[in-house]
Amino acid sequence: MTVTTLDYVLLGLLAVKSYTGYDLGRVMRSPISFFWEARYSQIYPELSKLETQGLVTYQAVAQHELPDKKIYTITEAGRALLRTWAVEPIEPPVIRDELVIKAYSLWMADPESARDLFHYHEQYHFSKLQQYEEVQRRLEESPEDLNDPTSPVFAQYIILQRGLGFEREYAAWCQWVVARLEQAIQLSSSASADS
Amino acid sequence: MTVTTLDYVLLGLLAVKSYTGYDLGRVMRSPISFFWEARYSQIYPELSKLETQGLVTYQAVAQHELPDKKIYTITEAGRALLRTWAVEPIEPPVIRDELVIKAYSLWMADPESARDLFHYHEQYHFSKLQQYEEVQRRLEESPEDLNDPTSPVFAQYIILQRGLGFEREYAAWCQWVVARLEQAIQLSSSASADS
DNA sequence: TATCCCATGTAAGTAGTTACATGATTAC
DNA sequence: GTAATCATGTAACTACTTACATGGGATA
């Protein structure tokens, strides 16, 4: 039984505190989230796999009119595995971005529609950026932990910086594309008015 | 039979010029490449699927002591499909980056190993950046096409900008992490020397 | 002597998505 | 009355990866 990256995402969250499968799914979708996503249909089976491998344990909590809650906790074996995996070498990520693929065929498409498409994505990444900036303000209220490399807040701050940089750059790129298309639209409309 | 994003990658390349499956695989791995990757074991079956759907045709070329070459060409149907798809709305990308997941657990790991890991990735993304800058210089030698939104070079320039921004930002983030870890390593070693 | 280049594919396996199932409670 | 929240899961499907197959010619 191999340990997948999703397993390390779950272990990484459980190393900070205990969660139910449901809560793990929620934090992964939360603003700062992670650079990872998963559905419950993947999370639940994955957690029980981790349990049979002895990397996590759970405590069942009975509830009123709802299925039992399973509160998962990382084991020492889980912690040890996570610690060594965290610094093991990996290959750089394979990037698969559909919008970039669309961009490659923009030369054949309608410029106005193209502009609208990129404007939508500019808005999206700009609003993500603002969410991350809000988290940054909150973290910087207690700056002590940010310089302590043994604190989970230190690590959270690191990935937040990646989020900020990524969204800022993505939004700027979209804006640049919109401006270029806008320019081209104006030029062609004035050219047709001339003729 | 559904049309996947890889299909549009292949159609996007074939809309510019004809290629064999082998050459398509090579351009996808080339410096500027695409924000997409695929193995031959996926490309070849995908091309024959596109052929049965009438989106591409091929011409077989016999070779000396080698299997026949199949030179693929996009059809009018393929062009029309690509043109409309290019501006159809999509959801923002799901980002899955293993290094960011590792970063989240760095607080439990050995700082020296962590620094080495991020230094390696800084080097990688910096060298990618330099490759892209070389392509940029080459493209900017003939700036006419760069402003013509109906030219494939215009679209290539757009995705090149994304590549430049992405690699620049990624390298800068890694460098920032290395500096933070370096600082923490120095502080802890001077603290242990004091005691 | 070994590895890369050319050129095509098949077969088996894995990680992820979509759809389905249950069911009471609260918010719009 | 419609959707979201809590809470767990199974089943079927799709996209992508890894391993295997062929084989001659050029480069290190």
Side-chain angles (χ1 to χ4, degrees):
Chain A
M1 255 202 263
T2 56
V3 184
T4 64
T5 307
L6 175 59
D7 291 331
Y8 289 111
V9 173
L10 300 172
L11 288 174
L13 287 162
L14 292 171
V16 181
K17 59 175 251 197
S18 296
Y19 286 100
T20 63
Y22 184 79
D23 288 334
L24 285 166
R26 267 192 330 141
V27 290
M28 282 177 74
R29 269 183 298 135
S30 73
I32 172 59
S33 74
F34 266 83
F35 279 64
W36 211 267
E37 238 188 66
R39 308 294 157 103
Y40 289 116
S41 58
Q42 199 187 1
I43 292 170
Y44 289 123
E46 215 62 24
L47 280 170
S48 61
K49 199 195 76 181
L50 288 173
E51 201 263 334
T52 61
Q53 287 175 114
L55 300 171
V56 301
T57 52
Y58 71 86
Q59 198 201 344
V61 178
Q63 295 200 113
H64 177 65
E65 305 278 16
L66 272 178
D68 280 9
K69 224 190 240 206
K70 290 184 182 174
I71 300 170
Y72 283 92
T73 305
I74 194 167
T75 63
E76 257 320 303
R79 248 176 231 285
L81 185 68
L82 185 60
R83 197 174 354 252
T84 57
W85 169 83
V87 290
E88 260 164 32
I90 40 162
E91 287 311 297
V94 176
I95 306 139
R96 288 204 172 89
D97 187 341
E98 199 175 347
L99 190 63
V100 180
I101 306 306
K102 282 183 189 273
Y104 191 74
S105 294
L106 278 195
W107 61 279
M108 350 173 37
D110 169 51
E112 272 96 347
S113 311
R115 177 201 52 201
D116 295 346
L117 176 68
F118 276 82
H119 181 69
Y120 170 82
H121 285 269
E122 182 195 332
Q123 295 295 315
Y124 172 85
H125 290 286
F126 184 70
S127 94
K128 268 252 164 180
L129 176 60
Q130 287 183 315
Q131 284 170 31
Y132 288 172
E133 280 170 345
E134 183 54 40
V135 179
Q136 188 177 35
R137 275 190 288 277
R138 214 189 59 222
L139 283 184
E140 286 178 346
E141 278 168 16
S142 47
E144 322 80 54
D145 295 334
L146 301 184
N147 290 309
D148 175 11
T150 63
S151 159
V153 183
F154 171 83
Q156 215 196 317
Y157 193 63
I158 286 176
I159 70 166
L160 177 62
Q161 293 310 310
R162 174 67 189 134
L164 287 164
F166 178 85
E167 299 300 346
R168 189 145 39 216
E169 161 54 32
Y170 209 117
W173 176 65
C174 290
Q175 195 178 33
W176 181 84
V177 174
V178 168
R180 283 237 147 189
L181 288 168
E182 205 70 71
Q183 198 185 20
I185 292 164
Q186 236 117 70
L187 276 171
S188 71
S189 71
S190 68
S192 62
D194 283 353
S195 64
Chain B
M1 257 205 260
T2 56
V3 183
T4 65
T5 306
L6 174 59
D7 291 332
Y8 288 112
V9 172
L10 300 173
L11 288 174
L13 286 162
L14 292 172
V16 180
K17 60 175 246 194
S18 297
Y19 285 100
T20 63
Y22 184 80
D23 288 334
L24 285 166
R26 268 191 331 141
V27 290
M28 281 176 75
R29 270 183 299 133
S30 74
I32 172 60
S33 76
F34 265 83
F35 280 65
W36 210 267
E37 238 187 66
R39 309 294 157 102
Y40 290 115
S41 57
Q42 199 186 1
I43 293 170
Y44 289 123
E46 215 63 24
L47 281 170
S48 62
K49 200 193 76 182
L50 288 173
E51 200 262 335
T52 60
Q53 288 176 113
L55 300 170
V56 301
T57 52
Y58 71 86
Q59 199 201 342
V61 177
Q63 296 199 114
H64 176 65
E65 305 277 16
L66 272 177
D68 280 10
K69 224 189 242 207
K70 290 183 182 175
I71 300 169
Y72 284 91
T73 305
I74 195 167
T75 63
E76 256 322 303
R79 248 176 229 285
L81 185 67
L82 184 61
R83 197 176 352 254
T84 57
W85 169 82
V87 289
E88 261 164 32
I90 40 160
E91 286 312 298
V94 176
I95 306 137
R96 287 205 172 88
D97 187 341
E98 199 175 347
L99 190 63
V100 180
I101 306 306
K102 282 183 189 273
Y104 191 74
S105 295
L106 278 195
W107 61 278
M108 345 173 42
D110 169 50
E112 272 97 347
S113 311
R115 177 203 51 199
D116 294 347
L117 176 67
F118 276 81
H119 181 69
Y120 171 81
H121 286 269
E122 183 195 332
Q123 295 296 320
Y124 172 84
H125 291 286
F126 184 70
S127 94
K128 268 250 165 183
L129 175 61
Q130 287 183 315
Q131 283 171 31
Y132 288 172
E133 280 169 345
E134 183 54 40
V135 179
Q136 189 177 35
R137 273 190 290 277
R138 213 190 59 222
L139 283 184
E140 286 178 346
E141 279 170 15
S142 48
E144 322 79 57
D145 294 333
L146 301 183
N147 290 308
D148 175 12
T150 63
S151 158
V153 183
F154 171 82
Q156 216 198 317
Y157 193 62
I158 286 177
I159 70 166
L160 176 62
Q161 293 310 308
R162 175 67 189 133
L164 286 164
F166 178 85
E167 299 300 346
R168 187 144 42 216
E169 161 53 33
Y170 209 116
W173 176 66
C174 290
Q175 194 178 33
W176 180 84
V177 173
V178 169
R180 284 236 146 191
L181 289 168
E182 206 70 72
Q183 197 183 21
I185 291 164
Q186 236 117 71
L187 277 171
S188 71
S189 71
S190 67
S192 61
D194 285 352
S195 64

